[in-house]
Amino acid sequence: MKRLMAALAVLVALAACGEAPERQRTSAEAETPVLVQPMVYRQPDPDRRRGLGPDGLPDMCAQGKCVALTFDDGPMDHTERLLEILARYNARATFFVVGQMVEEFPQLVQKEVAAGHEIANHSWNHSDLAGLSEEGVTAQIKQTQEAILRHSGYRSVLLRPPYGSSNARVAKVAASFGLPEIIWAVDPLDWRDRNSSLIARRVLSETGPGDVVLLHDIHASTVDAVPKILEGLSAKGYRFVTVSRLFRGMALQPGHQYRERTMTVAR
Ligand code: NI
């Protein structure tokens, strides 16, 4: 019963307002000085221009078609089914989890980690962080980092503020935890329109190389749309990678916002 009440409380909080993206762009995304196998990286700059990653292997996301599907607000009832679908297509994704839900369903987070997905911080109870004090923001981020680590052994390196709502105070606290803010480039409005065909169609028409796509694994209609999304984007040559993999080789600055990896290839 306690578990049910906690799940309901989060659902009520989620229903209160939709994700309202703030569309500001962040400053230049500098490349990391590459840590290297000296043999490969005697001349790191030309290598990076050729799209080589830090391990000396060609970085498919620097030149190829990568997309980062992200699933927010879980884990919850439909997460397990989503994991089965992602496994069937050998797709990796990123789960922006709510700390309270991690406490309720730790085994689902463990399964996400075991399947090679990325786990990231989406606050403790889906509060609008921009409306909280510095102490409040700190508690939301800290408790969630700790819950993820305690239950899965995974140390999250990314934050997505609920509703994409942030400000200088949130950015400062995020930076103090070493977390960049990952927003999104594509929002198919799956939190509002519970129609799987519509969701799949929007993702397929709006997604470009290097995009971060916002989805929610708390809705059955979204999970129902995932096979069509994976098939449609696969047919266009996309690879499905985690957010950290998408931005590999680039320095994500703690406290700064990112929505996509800038790409030069055509859709
Ligand atoms: Ni959310």
Side-chain angles (χ1 to χ4, degrees):
M1 192 58 177
K2 173 178 164 269
R3 176 166 136 152
L4 179 65
M5 293 305 286
L8 282 174
V10 171
L11 275 176
V12 168
L14 292 173
C17 36
E19 302 276 2
E22 292 175 358
R23 290 286 180 193
Q24 84 201 41
R25 269 169 204 277
T26 49
S27 56
E29 300 159 346
E31 286 226 306
T32 345
V34 188
L35 297 185
V36 267
Q37 302 161 355
M39 298 278 291
V40 179
Y41 277 97
R42 244 171 278 151
Q43 297 175 302
D45 288 342
D47 279 350
R48 272 184 294 182
R49 279 203 297 277
R50 287 198 299 270
L52 295 176
D55 54 10
L57 297 171
D59 185 348
M60 61 181 182
C61 294
Q63 298 181 329
K65 286 173 146 184
C66 286
V67 61
L69 301 182
T70 64
F71 294 93
D72 287 17
D73 303 351
M76 224 192 268
D77 301 349
H78 308 293
T79 305
E80 182 120 39
R81 186 160 64 88
L82 172 60
L83 287 172
E84 287 163 12
I85 293 168
L86 292 171
R88 211 183 307 146
Y89 291 85
N90 195 28
R92 297 289 179 278
T94 302
F95 290 89
F96 284 91
V97 296
V98 171
Q100 214 170 43
M101 303 311 294
V102 173
E103 287 291 341
E104 292 303 315
F105 301 104
Q107 74 286 358
L108 288 176
V109 182
Q110 289 154 15
K111 285 184 181 178
E112 291 168 352
V113 172
H117 302 298
E118 178 160 24
I119 313 301
N121 192 321
H122 196 44
S123 85
W124 177 253
N125 61 4
H126 212 268
S127 292
D128 179 349
L129 300 184
L132 300 183
S133 66
E134 188 169 326
E135 293 71 29
V137 177
T138 301
Q140 289 276 335
I141 294 176
K142 184 167 187 281
Q143 281 181 270
T144 304
Q145 288 296 99
E146 290 174 353
I148 294 170
L149 185 61
R150 185 167 61 250
H151 289 296
S152 70
Y154 195 98
R155 191 178 298 278
S156 161
V157 296
L158 308 171
L159 171 71
R160 173 174 285 161
Y163 319 106
S165 172
S166 186
N167 58 19
R169 190 167 53 242
V170 174
K172 182 186 159 197
V173 177
S176 76
F177 283 91
L179 304 174
E181 296 182 24
I182 304 298
I183 314 299
W184 52 83
V186 176
D187 176 6
L189 307 178
D190 67 318
W191 47 270
R192 189 188 72 190
D193 301 321
R194 310 295 171 82
N195 176 329
S196 60
S197 309
L198 187 60
I199 300 313
R201 205 157 57 237
R202 284 176 181 159
V203 172
L204 295 181
S205 67
E206 293 171 23
T207 300
D211 280 351
V212 174
V213 180
L214 173 68
L215 293 162
H216 296 80
D217 55 324
I218 58 170
H219 302 311
S221 45
T222 298
V223 175
D224 291 342
V226 172
K228 276 184 197 149
I229 291 170
L230 295 174
E231 279 164 27
L233 291 177
S234 291
K236 293 181 181 182
Y238 282 90
R239 306 278 290 269
F240 304 97
V241 298
T242 64
V243 170
S244 284
R245 181 69 188 76
L246 179 70
F247 289 103
R248 181 162 127 185
M250 301 174 60
L252 295 185
Q253 307 285 332
H256 288 223
Q257 292 195 342
Y258 300 89
R259 298 163 193 278
E260 65 197 335
R261 176 167 183 171
T262 309
M263 309 293 288
T264 51
V265 294
R267 288 192 177 216

